Amino acid sequence: MEETKEIRLDEISIWCILRDVVRNAWVVVLAVVAAYLGIAGVLGLLYEPVYTSSATLAVTARGNSGGAYSSLNITTQMADVFTEVFQSDVLREQIALDMGRDSVSGEITASVISETNLVTLQVTSVTPQDAYEMIQSALRNYEGVSDYLFSNARLQIVQSPQIPYGPSNVQNIRRYQRLGMLGAGALVVVCIALFNIMRFTVKTRKSAERNLDGRILGEIPFEQKYHSWKEALHRSKQALLIQSPAVSMQFAEALRRASARIEQHMRRRGQKVLIVTSIGENEGKSSVAANLAIALAEKGRRVLLVDGDLKKPAQYRVFDQQDAKLIQLSEWLESGKTFKGLLHFEKKSGIFWIFQKTSVRASGRLLKSDKMKSLMEACREQVDFIVIDTPPLAEVSDGELLLAYGDCALVVTRQDWVDVRILNDTADTVRQSQSEFLGFLLNAFHRDRLSALSRYGNYRHYRGSQEVPDGR
């Protein structure tokens, strides 16, 4: 039956959304820049400048040299009528005739200044010259129209019209650009958040418990690999091992608790070989395998860690053994060297090693060889537990070959990394092998904290998470 994605609030991780926004910041910047340039281009294409020439006129009485009407109310009424005169079709025809045109396309507006006998006349046209010529023609020809209405009133020019030097409809492009940039950036961020929410991956502990078809063995918190800007710049980092004083207590204790659960299960069933695998690369599988081996050795167990990834070995980097002269697993399988020269004991961690440093082309042939089978049988007699770090199951078939040597297996699952449906299909693959499927170990999980928590609050949280939920 195909699984469908149902959105639940407790399955949404704010940290995962913010991480995706940061990773796709270039998309946000690109959208903002596109909005900035696009708005400027569109407004530039649509923009048609117009020019306005204006004059201020006063309503006066004929024969009263410049004096205003004694009654302000009457004067205001007369001014209202004059505004209708300037906006009449009759005057427009007179202006067109005066300018020698069939018609004029400019806009003529007149308005009365409140509680005065003053009228503001404005003419707007597509060119400064047309605006100026139209207003001058209106002032020359208005009397021919107004004489039909008033015989004892006239207009006196208070402020003469001028030729406009700039457009009167100047656009506030900056304002539109700011709004567009903000809207474009917000839209992209919302889209990124929606894509993250709809992506069917494990983002929270609740989503893991609800959607994964298997037991949740534990949750390993994210641990910072670089402890300074200098380390990040030179990409020099310390391995995330629980024996290192540089790792946090939460990280170390989470791995020790997971190790205790696994050991209890394996001892109860008489199992010795633990397979640690994952679906994809960079899920922290090798670090988890190394730390589980160290945690078991801390209890006095004889533990052997085998790097079974012959394509991309990683354990020699985890334990900083790049320069060590060690016999590799592939070399031993292809040669007739004795078993004694293959195992190496590391005093600091207290575990035995079988390492691999170089990539092997025919890795499948070596892993399913009779010599590999005899090696695993001999190792079972020498140690209490064997932890095998396998290649990612989705990358090469070597991981499935190594499942044949294990008693039980766990799948390391990184936060928001692999589709839940692929994880469940992989769990079914493990169940069909000779290894018992223990469950999923959640790795590199960031917890969303909307409020500051005390150290004791964190401690209570980690203690409360020791109970292992039942598998489905």
Side-chain angles (χ1 to χ4, degrees):
M1 182 181 296
E2 185 180 356
E3 298 181 55
T4 58
K5 172 65 174 172
E6 181 179 355
I7 299 176
R8 298 174 184 264
L9 291 178
D10 58 3
E11 295 183 9
I12 298 175
S13 171
I14 302 300
W15 184 91
C16 291
I17 294 175
L18 293 177
R19 181 202 59 191
D20 280 3
V21 171
V22 172
R23 287 180 175 178
N24 295 279
W26 65 274
V27 181
V28 180
V29 173
L30 186 62
V32 169
V33 173
Y36 179 86
L37 298 177
I39 290 174
V42 170
L43 292 181
L45 291 174
L46 299 178
Y47 176 59
E48 294 182 359
V50 294
Y51 300 85
T52 301
S53 181
S54 61
T56 304
L57 312 172
V59 180
T60 61
R62 294 181 183 274
N64 186 6
S65 58
Y69 281 95
S70 58
S71 173
L72 182 60
N73 290 333
I74 296 177
T75 308
T76 302
Q77 292 176 5
M78 300 293 291
D80 287 336
V81 175
F82 271 109
T83 61
E84 296 178 5
V85 170
F86 281 113
Q87 296 175 131
S88 65
D89 293 335
V90 176
L91 181 60
R92 293 182 68 88
E93 292 175 359
Q94 291 293 330
I95 294 174
L97 183 62
D98 184 40
M99 296 177 64
R101 300 180 184 179
D102 295 334
S103 63
V104 289
S105 59
E107 181 181 357
I108 303 174
T109 60
S111 60
V112 179
I113 300 177
S114 178
E115 298 184 357
T116 68
N117 65 328
L118 299 179
V119 176
T120 299
L121 177 63
Q122 291 184 331
V123 176
T124 302
S125 185
V126 293
T127 64
Q129 183 177 357
D130 279 355
Y132 181 72
E133 290 180 354
M134 284 181 63
I135 196 171
Q136 291 285 14
S137 178
L139 294 175
R140 288 195 300 268
N141 293 281
Y142 80 90
E143 292 183 345
V145 178
S146 63
D147 282 347
Y148 294 103
L149 301 175
F150 305 106
S151 59
N152 61 341
R154 66 173 183 175
L155 291 179
Q156 181 179 357
I157 298 177
V158 177
Q159 182 178 353
S160 301
Q162 300 292 330
I163 298 177
Y165 292 99
S168 55
N169 61 337
V170 178
Q171 287 184 318
N172 190 359
I173 296 180
R174 296 297 182 187
R175 179 174 179 271
Y176 292 115
Q177 284 180 322
R178 287 194 294 268
L179 292 175
M181 291 164 62
L182 181 62
L187 179 61
V188 173
V189 170
V190 169
C191 290
I192 293 173
L194 289 176
F195 284 136
N196 179 273
I197 293 172
M198 297 303 298
R199 189 164 56 237
F200 201 8
T201 56
V202 177
K203 303 180 184 72
T204 65
R205 176 67 180 255
K206 285 293 184 181
S207 66
E209 295 173 353
R210 187 176 290 122
N211 298 310
L212 293 183
D213 187 13
R215 175 180 298 176
I216 307 301
L217 299 173
E219 179 182 339
I220 313 302
F222 176 82
E223 186 75 5
Q224 185 64 46
K225 293 182 179 180
Y226 302 105
H227 298 91
S228 66
W229 286 104
K230 185 177 181 180
E231 290 182 2
L233 183 63
H234 297 284
R235 301 190 67 82
S236 59
K237 59 186 178 183
Q238 297 180 0
L240 299 178
L241 299 178
I242 59 176
Q243 64 186 10
S244 171
V247 300
S248 66
M249 182 181 67
Q250 290 86 355
F251 176 80
E253 289 305 313
L255 280 161
R256 290 189 175 100
R257 282 195 305 275
S259 173
R261 298 188 191 107
I262 295 168
E263 180 191 11
Q264 183 182 11
H265 177 91
M266 295 179 68
R267 287 173 63 86
R268 188 169 59 247
R269 302 202 177 189
Q271 298 172 341
K272 281 194 169 185
V273 182
L274 171 65
I275 301 294
V276 179
T277 188
S278 66
I279 309 300
E281 293 186 278
N282 301 319
E283 294 198 67
K285 164 186 57 64
S286 297
S287 296
V288 169
N291 282 306
L292 291 178
I294 294 174
L296 290 170
E298 288 178 343
K299 299 181 179 181
R301 315 296 186 222
R302 289 171 58 86
V303 182
L304 170 63
L305 176 62
V306 180
D307 193 344
D309 192 346
L310 303 186
K311 293 292 187 183
K312 292 183 178 180
Q315 292 297 340
Y316 75 97
R317 292 196 301 268
V318 172
F319 288 93
D320 195 20
Q321 297 294 320
Q322 289 89 337
D323 300 326
K325 303 298 182 181
L326 303 175
I327 298 177
Q328 300 184 80
L329 176 60
S330 61
E331 294 175 346
W332 186 86
L333 292 174
E334 291 179 330
S335 67
K337 295 182 180 180
T338 63
F339 174 72
K340 182 179 179 181
L342 180 61
L343 266 65
H344 303 273
F345 181 75
E346 204 265 334
K347 294 181 179 179
K348 185 177 180 181
S349 62
I351 64 175
F352 292 90
W353 294 338
I354 294 182
F355 278 175
Q356 182 69 26
K357 294 177 64 175
T358 59
S359 178
V360 179
R361 198 165 193 176
S363 56
R365 175 180 58 83
L366 296 177
L367 292 177
K368 64 181 179 180
S369 64
D370 292 336
K371 196 168 184 181
M372 182 66 183
K373 296 178 183 177
S374 63
L375 171 63
M376 296 307 301
E377 292 175 358
C379 290
R380 283 176 178 267
E381 299 177 358
Q382 298 291 326
V383 298
D384 299 320
F385 294 102
I386 302 173
V387 179
I388 302 179
D389 178 18
T390 75
L393 293 178
E395 301 296 330
V396 292
S397 61
D398 293 2
E400 296 186 24
L401 295 176
L402 289 170
L403 287 173
Y405 302 112
D407 297 323
C408 57
L410 65 86
V411 175
V412 176
T413 303
R414 186 166 183 171
Q415 184 182 31
D416 193 23
W417 202 261
V418 178
D419 192 281
V420 168
R421 290 160 291 195
I422 299 177
L423 287 168
N424 290 332
D425 289 343
T426 302
D428 293 337
T429 301
V430 177
R431 291 188 181 97
Q432 295 170 6
S433 69
Q434 298 180 17
S435 297
E436 177 192 2
F437 178 59
L438 288 181
F440 299 93
L441 185 57
L442 309 181
N443 187 42
F445 261 61
H446 292 78
R447 287 192 174 274
D448 296 328
R449 289 178 171 84
L450 301 181
S451 60
L453 299 175
S454 66
R455 293 176 57 188
Y456 296 102
N458 287 334
Y459 176 72
R460 285 195 299 271
H461 169 78
Y462 280 101
R463 286 197 59 181
S465 64
Q466 290 185 13
E467 183 179 355
V468 180
D470 294 334
R472 291 187 295 168

